[in-house]
mmCIF file of all heavy atoms in Angstrom:
data_model
loop_
_atom_site.group_PDB
_atom_site.id
_atom_site.type_symbol
_atom_site.label_atom_id
_atom_site.label_comp_id
_atom_site.label_asym_id
_atom_site.label_seq_id
_atom_site.Cartn_x
_atom_site.Cartn_y
_atom_site.Cartn_z
ATOM 1 N N MET A 1 -27.463 23.046 0.853
ATOM 2 C CA MET A 1 -27.299 23.052 2.252
ATOM 3 C C MET A 1 -28.583 23.594 2.980
ATOM 4 O O MET A 1 -29.150 22.932 3.832
ATOM 5 C CB MET A 1 -25.999 23.706 2.761
ATOM 6 C CG MET A 1 -25.729 23.493 4.235
ATOM 7 S SD MET A 1 -24.049 23.843 4.554
ATOM 8 C CE MET A 1 -24.211 25.380 5.302
ATOM 9 N N TYR A 2 -28.914 24.733 2.666
ATOM 10 C CA TYR A 2 -30.034 25.435 3.174
ATOM 11 C C TYR A 2 -31.156 25.706 2.122
ATOM 12 O O TYR A 2 -32.016 26.605 2.278
ATOM 13 C CB TYR A 2 -29.582 26.763 3.849
ATOM 14 C CG TYR A 2 -28.628 26.476 4.921
ATOM 15 C CD1 TYR A 2 -27.330 26.819 4.946
ATOM 16 C CD2 TYR A 2 -29.121 25.972 6.145
ATOM 17 C CE1 TYR A 2 -26.452 26.614 5.875
ATOM 18 C CE2 TYR A 2 -28.300 25.755 7.191
ATOM 19 C CZ TYR A 2 -26.892 26.136 7.027
ATOM 20 O OH TYR A 2 -26.033 25.844 8.152
ATOM 21 N N GLY A 3 -31.208 24.836 1.068
ATOM 22 C CA GLY A 3 -32.184 25.053 0.049
ATOM 23 C C GLY A 3 -31.896 26.054 -1.003
ATOM 24 O O GLY A 3 -32.570 26.332 -1.822
ATOM 25 N N ILE A 4 -30.593 26.520 -0.999
ATOM 26 C CA ILE A 4 -30.182 27.514 -2.017
ATOM 27 C C ILE A 4 -28.812 27.033 -2.504
ATOM 28 O O ILE A 4 -28.062 26.299 -1.737
ATOM 29 C CB ILE A 4 -30.057 29.025 -1.510
ATOM 30 C CG1 ILE A 4 -29.256 28.969 -0.152
ATOM 31 C CG2 ILE A 4 -31.408 29.514 -1.230
ATOM 32 C CD1 ILE A 4 -28.983 30.438 0.393
ATOM 33 N N PRO A 5 -28.493 27.221 -3.667
ATOM 34 C CA PRO A 5 -27.210 26.626 -4.176
ATOM 35 C C PRO A 5 -25.944 27.413 -3.800
ATOM 36 O O PRO A 5 -25.380 28.204 -4.535
ATOM 37 C CB PRO A 5 -27.480 26.672 -5.710
ATOM 38 C CG PRO A 5 -28.275 27.994 -5.968
ATOM 39 C CD PRO A 5 -29.197 27.945 -4.718
ATOM 40 N N GLU A 6 -25.578 27.203 -2.533
ATOM 41 C CA GLU A 6 -24.378 27.807 -1.966
ATOM 42 C C GLU A 6 -23.536 26.709 -1.381
ATOM 43 O O GLU A 6 -23.872 25.609 -1.118
ATOM 44 C CB GLU A 6 -24.739 28.847 -0.950
ATOM 45 C CG GLU A 6 -25.482 29.905 -1.483
ATOM 46 C CD GLU A 6 -25.709 30.962 -0.388
ATOM 47 O OE1 GLU A 6 -25.171 30.925 0.712
ATOM 48 O OE2 GLU A 6 -26.538 31.892 -0.703
ATOM 49 N N THR A 7 -22.269 27.069 -1.092
ATOM 50 C CA THR A 7 -21.443 26.219 -0.361
ATOM 51 C C THR A 7 -20.570 26.898 0.673
ATOM 52 O O THR A 7 -20.475 28.160 0.522
ATOM 53 C CB THR A 7 -20.335 25.568 -1.399
ATOM 54 O OG1 THR A 7 -19.479 24.735 -0.672
ATOM 55 C CG2 THR A 7 -19.552 26.611 -2.079
ATOM 56 N N VAL A 8 -20.146 26.305 1.745
ATOM 57 C CA VAL A 8 -19.422 26.936 2.814
ATOM 58 C C VAL A 8 -17.898 26.988 2.474
ATOM 59 O O VAL A 8 -17.216 27.603 3.140
ATOM 60 C CB VAL A 8 -19.646 26.167 4.100
ATOM 61 C CG1 VAL A 8 -20.970 26.269 4.653
ATOM 62 C CG2 VAL A 8 -19.093 24.883 4.186
ATOM 63 N N THR A 9 -17.481 26.307 1.433
ATOM 64 C CA THR A 9 -16.056 26.269 1.028
ATOM 65 C C THR A 9 -15.686 27.504 0.177
ATOM 66 O O THR A 9 -16.610 28.124 -0.267
ATOM 67 C CB THR A 9 -15.695 25.021 0.445
ATOM 68 O OG1 THR A 9 -16.425 24.916 -0.781
ATOM 69 C CG2 THR A 9 -16.023 23.808 1.266
ATOM 70 N N GLY A 10 -14.524 27.690 0.021
ATOM 71 C CA GLY A 10 -14.006 28.720 -0.797
ATOM 72 C C GLY A 10 -12.698 28.306 -1.337
ATOM 73 O O GLY A 10 -12.135 27.231 -1.122
ATOM 74 N N GLU A 11 -12.001 29.214 -2.183
ATOM 75 C CA GLU A 11 -10.652 28.871 -2.732
ATOM 76 C C GLU A 11 -9.592 28.574 -1.689
ATOM 77 O O GLU A 11 -8.604 28.120 -2.024
ATOM 78 C CB GLU A 11 -10.428 29.959 -3.667
ATOM 79 C CG GLU A 11 -10.071 31.422 -3.209
ATOM 80 C CD GLU A 11 -11.376 32.164 -2.938
ATOM 81 O OE1 GLU A 11 -12.439 31.670 -3.350
ATOM 82 O OE2 GLU A 11 -11.322 33.238 -2.350
ATOM 83 N N HIS A 12 -9.920 29.031 -0.409
ATOM 84 C CA HIS A 12 -8.890 28.884 0.600
ATOM 85 C C HIS A 12 -9.278 27.914 1.649
ATOM 86 O O HIS A 12 -8.897 27.884 2.721
ATOM 87 C CB HIS A 12 -8.501 30.210 1.279
ATOM 88 C CG HIS A 12 -7.906 31.159 0.302
ATOM 89 N ND1 HIS A 12 -6.629 31.065 -0.231
ATOM 90 C CD2 HIS A 12 -8.492 32.293 -0.247
ATOM 91 C CE1 HIS A 12 -6.430 32.026 -1.042
ATOM 92 N NE2 HIS A 12 -7.461 32.756 -1.080
ATOM 93 N N GLY A 13 -10.314 27.006 1.350
ATOM 94 C CA GLY A 13 -10.764 26.107 2.240
ATOM 95 C C GLY A 13 -11.918 26.654 3.163
ATOM 96 O O GLY A 13 -12.451 27.781 2.945
ATOM 97 N N ILE A 14 -12.328 25.965 4.193
ATOM 98 C CA ILE A 14 -13.511 26.445 4.898
ATOM 99 C C ILE A 14 -13.108 27.235 6.178
ATOM 100 O O ILE A 14 -13.855 28.004 6.567
ATOM 101 C CB ILE A 14 -14.401 25.198 5.514
ATOM 102 C CG1 ILE A 14 -13.684 24.363 6.429
ATOM 103 C CG2 ILE A 14 -14.888 24.431 4.274
ATOM 104 C CD1 ILE A 14 -14.619 23.459 7.219
ATOM 105 N N GLY A 15 -11.950 26.978 6.705
ATOM 106 C CA GLY A 15 -11.446 27.697 7.856
ATOM 107 C C GLY A 15 -12.186 27.213 9.110
ATOM 108 O O GLY A 15 -13.301 26.569 9.123
ATOM 109 N N ILE A 16 -11.686 27.529 10.304
ATOM 110 C CA ILE A 16 -12.340 27.029 11.549
ATOM 111 C C ILE A 16 -13.622 27.649 11.741
ATOM 112 O O ILE A 16 -14.448 27.139 12.557
ATOM 113 C CB ILE A 16 -11.268 27.083 12.718
ATOM 114 C CG1 ILE A 16 -10.884 28.527 12.933
ATOM 115 C CG2 ILE A 16 -10.162 26.239 12.460
ATOM 116 C CD1 ILE A 16 -9.920 28.700 14.213
ATOM 117 N N GLY A 17 -13.802 28.797 11.282
ATOM 118 C CA GLY A 17 -15.179 29.495 11.567
ATOM 119 C C GLY A 17 -16.256 28.787 10.885
ATOM 120 O O GLY A 17 -17.519 28.906 11.400
ATOM 121 N N LYS A 18 -16.008 28.110 9.891
ATOM 122 C CA LYS A 18 -17.152 27.315 9.171
ATOM 123 C C LYS A 18 -17.092 25.794 9.407
ATOM 124 O O LYS A 18 -17.796 25.027 8.708
ATOM 125 C CB LYS A 18 -17.185 27.725 7.678
ATOM 126 C CG LYS A 18 -17.425 29.167 7.428
ATOM 127 C CD LYS A 18 -17.304 29.420 5.991
ATOM 128 C CE LYS A 18 -17.472 30.929 5.626
ATOM 129 N NZ LYS A 18 -17.258 31.302 4.224
ATOM 130 N N LYS A 19 -16.225 25.344 10.239
ATOM 131 C CA LYS A 19 -15.964 23.887 10.488
ATOM 132 C C LYS A 19 -17.309 23.176 10.831
ATOM 133 O O LYS A 19 -17.535 22.047 10.395
ATOM 134 C CB LYS A 19 -14.927 23.694 11.577
ATOM 135 C CG LYS A 19 -14.618 22.278 11.983
ATOM 136 C CD LYS A 19 -13.632 22.220 12.977
ATOM 137 C CE LYS A 19 -13.376 20.785 13.453
ATOM 138 N NZ LYS A 19 -12.407 20.627 14.548
ATOM 139 N N LYS A 20 -18.151 23.895 11.530
ATOM 140 C CA LYS A 20 -19.425 23.240 12.091
ATOM 141 C C LYS A 20 -20.186 22.815 10.817
ATOM 142 O O LYS A 20 -21.169 21.946 10.996
ATOM 143 C CB LYS A 20 -20.111 24.103 13.064
ATOM 144 C CG LYS A 20 -20.501 25.472 12.456
ATOM 145 C CD LYS A 20 -21.140 26.331 13.515
ATOM 146 C CE LYS A 20 -21.390 27.841 13.042
ATOM 147 N NZ LYS A 20 -21.753 28.651 14.116
ATOM 148 N N TYR A 21 -20.087 23.487 9.694
ATOM 149 C CA TYR A 21 -20.850 23.139 8.517
ATOM 150 C C TYR A 21 -20.311 21.975 7.637
ATOM 151 O O TYR A 21 -20.900 21.564 6.739
ATOM 152 C CB TYR A 21 -21.132 24.430 7.706
ATOM 153 C CG TYR A 21 -21.831 25.441 8.490
ATOM 154 C CD1 TYR A 21 -21.012 26.582 8.820
ATOM 155 C CD2 TYR A 21 -23.015 25.471 8.971
ATOM 156 C CE1 TYR A 21 -21.589 27.770 9.456
ATOM 157 C CE2 TYR A 21 -23.633 26.512 9.709
ATOM 158 C CZ TYR A 21 -22.832 27.671 9.913
ATOM 159 O OH TYR A 21 -23.409 28.660 10.663
ATOM 160 N N LEU A 22 -19.038 21.674 7.826
ATOM 161 C CA LEU A 22 -18.391 20.814 7.033
ATOM 162 C C LEU A 22 -19.147 19.361 6.958
ATOM 163 O O LEU A 22 -19.360 18.833 5.869
ATOM 164 C CB LEU A 22 -17.014 20.544 7.489
ATOM 165 C CG LEU A 22 -16.100 19.632 6.558
ATOM 166 C CD1 LEU A 22 -15.976 20.294 5.241
ATOM 167 C CD2 LEU A 22 -14.795 19.328 7.214
ATOM 168 N N ALA A 23 -19.519 18.876 8.135
ATOM 169 C CA ALA A 23 -20.108 17.509 8.034
ATOM 170 C C ALA A 23 -21.542 17.600 7.400
ATOM 171 O O ALA A 23 -21.953 16.624 6.820
ATOM 172 C CB ALA A 23 -20.286 17.056 9.550
ATOM 173 N N LYS A 24 -22.236 18.697 7.678
ATOM 174 C CA LYS A 24 -23.513 18.756 6.974
ATOM 175 C C LYS A 24 -23.561 18.935 5.465
ATOM 176 O O LYS A 24 -24.277 18.280 4.809
ATOM 177 C CB LYS A 24 -24.305 19.980 7.494
ATOM 178 C CG LYS A 24 -25.753 20.182 7.092
ATOM 179 C CD LYS A 24 -26.417 21.271 7.850
ATOM 180 C CE LYS A 24 -27.879 21.285 7.527
ATOM 181 N NZ LYS A 24 -28.633 22.263 8.185
ATOM 182 N N GLU A 25 -22.463 19.601 4.909
ATOM 183 C CA GLU A 25 -22.354 19.729 3.549
ATOM 184 C C GLU A 25 -21.609 18.755 2.839
ATOM 185 O O GLU A 25 -21.957 18.350 1.645
ATOM 186 C CB GLU A 25 -21.775 21.117 3.250
ATOM 187 C CG GLU A 25 -21.706 21.406 1.718
ATOM 188 C CD GLU A 25 -21.279 22.842 1.406
ATOM 189 O OE1 GLU A 25 -21.241 23.677 2.235
ATOM 190 O OE2 GLU A 25 -20.898 22.974 0.266
ATOM 191 N N HIS A 26 -20.648 18.120 3.530
ATOM 192 C CA HIS A 26 -19.724 17.104 2.878
ATOM 193 C C HIS A 26 -19.612 15.799 3.550
ATOM 194 O O HIS A 26 -18.662 15.133 3.573
ATOM 195 C CB HIS A 26 -18.336 17.744 2.669
ATOM 196 C CG HIS A 26 -18.311 18.975 1.750
ATOM 197 N ND1 HIS A 26 -18.540 18.857 0.396
ATOM 198 C CD2 HIS A 26 -18.169 20.298 2.170
ATOM 199 C CE1 HIS A 26 -18.404 20.196 -0.097
ATOM 200 N NE2 HIS A 26 -18.201 20.926 0.980
ATOM 201 N N ALA A 27 -20.770 15.376 4.171
ATOM 202 C CA ALA A 27 -20.808 14.095 5.014
ATOM 203 C C ALA A 27 -20.264 12.956 4.192
ATOM 204 O O ALA A 27 -19.560 12.064 4.749
ATOM 205 C CB ALA A 27 -22.190 13.881 5.456
ATOM 206 N N ASP A 28 -20.693 12.824 2.935
ATOM 207 C CA ASP A 28 -20.201 11.622 2.087
ATOM 208 C C ASP A 28 -18.753 11.591 1.851
ATOM 209 O O ASP A 28 -18.147 10.660 1.657
ATOM 210 C CB ASP A 28 -21.028 11.560 0.844
ATOM 211 C CG ASP A 28 -22.530 11.280 1.163
ATOM 212 O OD1 ASP A 28 -22.847 10.769 2.190
ATOM 213 O OD2 ASP A 28 -23.298 11.484 0.115
ATOM 214 N N SER A 29 -18.166 12.824 1.800
ATOM 215 C CA SER A 29 -16.668 12.947 1.550
ATOM 216 C C SER A 29 -15.795 13.037 2.613
ATOM 217 O O SER A 29 -14.616 12.736 2.549
ATOM 218 C CB SER A 29 -16.542 14.284 0.734
ATOM 219 O OG SER A 29 -17.285 14.284 -0.491
ATOM 220 N N LEU A 30 -16.406 13.079 3.870
ATOM 221 C CA LEU A 30 -15.425 13.208 5.038
ATOM 222 C C LEU A 30 -14.567 12.066 5.196
ATOM 223 O O LEU A 30 -13.296 12.142 5.492
ATOM 224 C CB LEU A 30 -16.232 13.399 6.363
ATOM 225 C CG LEU A 30 -16.588 14.907 6.475
ATOM 226 C CD1 LEU A 30 -17.455 15.085 7.802
ATOM 227 C CD2 LEU A 30 -15.448 15.774 6.658
ATOM 228 N N PRO A 31 -15.055 10.731 5.127
ATOM 229 C CA PRO A 31 -14.096 9.661 5.225
ATOM 230 C C PRO A 31 -12.923 9.627 4.330
ATOM 231 O O PRO A 31 -11.772 9.404 4.617
ATOM 232 C CB PRO A 31 -14.941 8.409 5.028
ATOM 233 C CG PRO A 31 -16.321 8.836 5.338
ATOM 234 C CD PRO A 31 -16.433 10.238 4.856
ATOM 235 N N LEU A 32 -13.116 10.071 2.960
ATOM 236 C CA LEU A 32 -12.165 10.132 1.996
ATOM 237 C C LEU A 32 -11.082 11.287 2.418
ATOM 238 O O LEU A 32 -9.910 11.081 2.353
ATOM 239 C CB LEU A 32 -12.697 10.435 0.627
ATOM 240 C CG LEU A 32 -11.730 10.608 -0.468
ATOM 241 C CD1 LEU A 32 -10.668 9.318 -0.505
ATOM 242 C CD2 LEU A 32 -12.343 10.833 -1.799
ATOM 243 N N MET A 33 -11.655 12.367 2.812
ATOM 244 C CA MET A 33 -10.827 13.506 3.299
ATOM 245 C C MET A 33 -9.927 13.061 4.406
ATOM 246 O O MET A 33 -8.757 13.441 4.492
ATOM 247 C CB MET A 33 -11.711 14.754 3.669
ATOM 248 C CG MET A 33 -12.325 15.362 2.585
ATOM 249 S SD MET A 33 -13.361 16.791 3.355
ATOM 250 C CE MET A 33 -14.539 17.062 2.036
ATOM 251 N N LYS A 34 -10.511 12.334 5.382
ATOM 252 C CA LYS A 34 -9.724 11.989 6.476
ATOM 253 C C LYS A 34 -8.603 10.926 6.063
ATOM 254 O O LYS A 34 -7.501 10.954 6.649
ATOM 255 C CB LYS A 34 -10.555 11.362 7.645
ATOM 256 C CG LYS A 34 -11.482 12.407 8.318
ATOM 257 C CD LYS A 34 -12.375 11.729 9.287
ATOM 258 C CE LYS A 34 -13.208 12.869 9.908
ATOM 259 N NZ LYS A 34 -13.973 12.394 11.044
ATOM 260 N N LEU A 35 -8.854 10.026 5.136
ATOM 261 C CA LEU A 35 -7.896 9.078 4.629
ATOM 262 C C LEU A 35 -6.818 9.789 3.941
ATOM 263 O O LEU A 35 -5.710 9.473 4.142
ATOM 264 C CB LEU A 35 -8.600 8.071 3.721
ATOM 265 C CG LEU A 35 -7.759 7.010 3.008
ATOM 266 C CD1 LEU A 35 -7.193 6.041 4.073
ATOM 267 C CD2 LEU A 35 -8.598 6.305 1.991
ATOM 268 N N ILE A 36 -7.122 10.794 3.080
ATOM 269 C CA ILE A 36 -6.063 11.472 2.382
ATOM 270 C C ILE A 36 -5.205 12.271 3.387
ATOM 271 O O ILE A 36 -3.982 12.248 3.393
ATOM 272 C CB ILE A 36 -6.757 12.512 1.398
ATOM 273 C CG1 ILE A 36 -7.440 11.718 0.219
ATOM 274 C CG2 ILE A 36 -5.704 13.493 0.903
ATOM 275 C CD1 ILE A 36 -8.224 12.556 -0.601
ATOM 276 N N LYS A 37 -5.809 12.842 4.402
ATOM 277 C CA LYS A 37 -5.058 13.646 5.422
ATOM 278 C C LYS A 37 -4.069 12.597 6.128
ATOM 279 O O LYS A 37 -3.035 12.890 6.391
ATOM 280 C CB LYS A 37 -6.005 14.217 6.409
ATOM 281 C CG LYS A 37 -5.394 14.721 7.801
ATOM 282 C CD LYS A 37 -4.811 16.075 7.669
ATOM 283 C CE LYS A 37 -4.558 16.690 9.036
ATOM 284 N NZ LYS A 37 -3.186 16.404 9.507
ATOM 285 N N GLN A 38 -4.702 11.387 6.470
ATOM 286 C CA GLN A 38 -3.804 10.460 7.202
ATOM 287 C C GLN A 38 -2.631 9.893 6.310
ATOM 288 O O GLN A 38 -1.562 9.744 6.888
ATOM 289 C CB GLN A 38 -4.677 9.269 7.583
ATOM 290 C CG GLN A 38 -4.186 8.398 8.686
ATOM 291 C CD GLN A 38 -3.131 7.524 8.369
ATOM 292 O OE1 GLN A 38 -3.157 6.850 7.253
ATOM 293 N NE2 GLN A 38 -2.110 7.290 9.235
ATOM 294 N N GLN A 39 -2.941 9.871 5.002
ATOM 295 C CA GLN A 39 -1.779 9.446 4.083
ATOM 296 C C GLN A 39 -0.692 10.433 3.990
ATOM 297 O O GLN A 39 0.410 10.037 3.938
ATOM 298 C CB GLN A 39 -2.313 9.074 2.765
ATOM 299 C CG GLN A 39 -3.310 7.864 2.702
ATOM 300 C CD GLN A 39 -2.566 6.667 3.040
ATOM 301 O OE1 GLN A 39 -1.538 6.321 2.391
ATOM 302 N NE2 GLN A 39 -3.035 5.789 3.796
ATOM 303 N N PHE A 40 -1.029 11.652 3.984
ATOM 304 C CA PHE A 40 0.019 12.723 3.831
ATOM 305 C C PHE A 40 0.519 13.176 5.109
ATOM 306 O O PHE A 40 1.635 13.770 5.243
ATOM 307 C CB PHE A 40 -0.598 13.945 3.191
ATOM 308 C CG PHE A 40 -0.619 13.745 1.632
ATOM 309 C CD1 PHE A 40 -1.878 13.308 1.110
ATOM 310 C CD2 PHE A 40 0.408 13.925 0.823
ATOM 311 C CE1 PHE A 40 -2.012 13.050 -0.288
ATOM 312 C CE2 PHE A 40 0.359 13.702 -0.499
ATOM 313 C CZ PHE A 40 -0.834 13.300 -1.194
ATOM 314 N N ASP A 41 -0.161 12.910 6.273
ATOM 315 C CA ASP A 41 0.198 13.300 7.633
ATOM 316 C C ASP A 41 0.005 12.223 8.654
ATOM 317 O O ASP A 41 -0.833 12.358 9.503
ATOM 318 C CB ASP A 41 -0.506 14.546 7.978
ATOM 319 C CG ASP A 41 -0.046 15.179 9.328
ATOM 320 O OD1 ASP A 41 1.005 14.879 9.786
ATOM 321 O OD2 ASP A 41 -0.860 15.974 9.894
ATOM 322 N N PRO A 42 0.706 11.081 8.547
ATOM 323 C CA PRO A 42 0.469 9.852 9.381
ATOM 324 C C PRO A 42 0.627 10.216 10.900
ATOM 325 O O PRO A 42 0.078 9.510 11.729
ATOM 326 C CB PRO A 42 1.434 8.865 8.912
ATOM 327 C CG PRO A 42 2.485 9.566 8.188
ATOM 328 C CD PRO A 42 1.788 10.797 7.592
ATOM 329 N N LYS A 43 1.570 11.175 11.230
ATOM 330 C CA LYS A 43 1.783 11.497 12.610
ATOM 331 C C LYS A 43 0.792 12.573 13.102
ATOM 332 O O LYS A 43 0.917 12.928 14.282
ATOM 333 C CB LYS A 43 3.226 11.904 12.822
ATOM 334 C CG LYS A 43 4.110 10.739 12.597
ATOM 335 C CD LYS A 43 5.623 11.169 12.830
ATOM 336 C CE LYS A 43 6.504 9.951 12.610
ATOM 337 N NZ LYS A 43 7.853 10.317 12.637
ATOM 338 N N ASN A 44 -0.030 13.094 12.302
ATOM 339 C CA ASN A 44 -0.982 14.162 12.584
ATOM 340 C C ASN A 44 -0.323 15.384 13.262
ATOM 341 O O ASN A 44 -0.805 15.883 14.195
ATOM 342 C CB ASN A 44 -2.161 13.526 13.488
ATOM 343 C CG ASN A 44 -3.385 14.500 13.519
ATOM 344 O OD1 ASN A 44 -3.655 15.137 12.592
ATOM 345 N ND2 ASN A 44 -3.946 14.569 14.703
ATOM 346 N N ILE A 45 0.667 15.854 12.574
ATOM 347 C CA ILE A 45 1.406 16.960 13.100
ATOM 348 C C ILE A 45 1.099 18.297 12.355
ATOM 349 O O ILE A 45 1.385 19.326 12.769
ATOM 350 C CB ILE A 45 2.807 16.752 13.024
ATOM 351 C CG1 ILE A 45 3.431 16.616 11.581
ATOM 352 C CG2 ILE A 45 3.340 15.709 13.972
ATOM 353 C CD1 ILE A 45 4.826 16.559 11.524
ATOM 354 N N LEU A 46 0.362 18.166 11.253
ATOM 355 C CA LEU A 46 -0.073 19.380 10.547
ATOM 356 C C LEU A 46 -1.460 19.807 10.931
ATOM 357 O O LEU A 46 -2.424 19.190 10.510
ATOM 358 C CB LEU A 46 0.033 19.047 8.953
ATOM 359 C CG LEU A 46 1.329 18.575 8.439
ATOM 360 C CD1 LEU A 46 1.248 18.215 6.937
ATOM 361 C CD2 LEU A 46 2.421 19.716 8.564
ATOM 362 N N ASN A 47 -1.556 20.905 11.661
ATOM 363 C CA ASN A 47 -2.829 21.386 12.015
ATOM 364 C C ASN A 47 -3.731 20.276 12.756
ATOM 365 O O ASN A 47 -4.847 20.128 12.368
ATOM 366 C CB ASN A 47 -3.589 22.092 10.895
ATOM 367 C CG ASN A 47 -2.832 23.261 10.460
ATOM 368 O OD1 ASN A 47 -2.328 24.091 11.119
ATOM 369 N ND2 ASN A 47 -2.830 23.395 9.137
ATOM 370 N N PRO A 48 -3.294 19.692 13.796
ATOM 371 C CA PRO A 48 -4.015 18.547 14.434
ATOM 372 C C PRO A 48 -5.341 19.225 15.064
ATOM 373 O O PRO A 48 -5.247 20.232 15.747
ATOM 374 C CB PRO A 48 -3.127 18.063 15.458
ATOM 375 C CG PRO A 48 -2.147 19.092 15.743
ATOM 376 C CD PRO A 48 -1.952 19.796 14.453
ATOM 377 N N GLY A 49 -6.434 18.590 14.733
ATOM 378 C CA GLY A 49 -7.764 18.984 15.311
ATOM 379 C C GLY A 49 -8.323 20.221 14.701
ATOM 380 O O GLY A 49 -9.440 20.609 15.147
ATOM 381 N N LYS A 50 -7.719 20.832 13.731
ATOM 382 C CA LYS A 50 -8.291 22.138 13.252
ATOM 383 C C LYS A 50 -9.489 21.847 12.414
ATOM 384 O O LYS A 50 -10.501 22.559 12.662
ATOM 385 C CB LYS A 50 -7.178 22.860 12.260
ATOM 386 C CG LYS A 50 -6.052 23.341 13.054
ATOM 387 C CD LYS A 50 -6.568 24.659 13.770
ATOM 388 C CE LYS A 50 -5.353 25.394 14.373
ATOM 389 N NZ LYS A 50 -5.714 26.647 14.862
ATOM 390 N N ILE A 51 -9.436 20.969 11.316
ATOM 391 C CA ILE A 51 -10.607 20.793 10.479
ATOM 392 C C ILE A 51 -11.107 19.301 10.686
ATOM 393 O O ILE A 51 -12.231 19.005 10.930
ATOM 394 C CB ILE A 51 -10.323 21.156 9.112
ATOM 395 C CG1 ILE A 51 -9.888 22.639 8.949
ATOM 396 C CG2 ILE A 51 -11.528 20.818 8.203
ATOM 397 C CD1 ILE A 51 -10.944 23.607 9.269
ATOM 398 N N LEU A 52 -10.171 18.391 10.411
ATOM 399 C CA LEU A 52 -10.577 16.945 10.469
ATOM 400 C C LEU A 52 -10.108 16.335 11.803
ATOM 401 O O LEU A 52 -8.885 16.117 12.053
ATOM 402 C CB LEU A 52 -9.857 16.246 9.302
ATOM 403 C CG LEU A 52 -10.304 16.650 7.912
ATOM 404 C CD1 LEU A 52 -9.444 16.022 6.841
ATOM 405 C CD2 LEU A 52 -11.763 16.559 7.630
ATOM 406 N N ASP A 53 -11.031 16.147 12.590
ATOM 407 C CA ASP A 53 -10.768 15.574 13.938
ATOM 408 C C ASP A 53 -10.507 14.090 13.884
ATOM 409 O O ASP A 53 -10.923 13.506 13.008
ATOM 410 C CB ASP A 53 -11.905 15.882 14.917
ATOM 411 C CG ASP A 53 -12.078 17.405 15.081
ATOM 412 O OD1 ASP A 53 -11.135 18.117 15.135
ATOM 413 O OD2 ASP A 53 -13.240 17.806 15.305
#
């Protein structure tokens, strides 16, 4: 991400404090993440807008 081998994620996810880095680090995976979220939460009632807008 910044030229060093690090990640913004951790064993408990990224949290809202690091949300701004999610697209930069995992841009290729975001569509799949959103699809999975939509499959498990079609009514978007589980943490709406927290991580995947």
Side-chain angles (χ1 to χ4, degrees):
M1 185 161 104
Y2 296 106
I4 52 178
E6 294 185 9
T7 181
V8 298
T9 63
E11 63 277 356
H12 298 289
I14 67 162
I16 58 174
K18 297 177 185 172
K19 179 181 176 179
K20 60 186 173 186
Y21 304 112
L22 183 65
K24 186 172 184 175
E25 185 171 343
H26 298 288
D28 294 343
S29 300
L30 278 177
L32 179 59
M33 290 180 198
K34 290 179 180 183
L35 179 64
I36 292 169
K37 165 85 163 96
Q38 202 280 326
Q39 291 296 309
F40 283 97
D41 183 21
K43 295 182 181 179
N44 197 32
I45 59 173
L46 303 173
N47 297 317
K50 286 286 187 175
I51 301 296
L52 300 173
D53 296 326

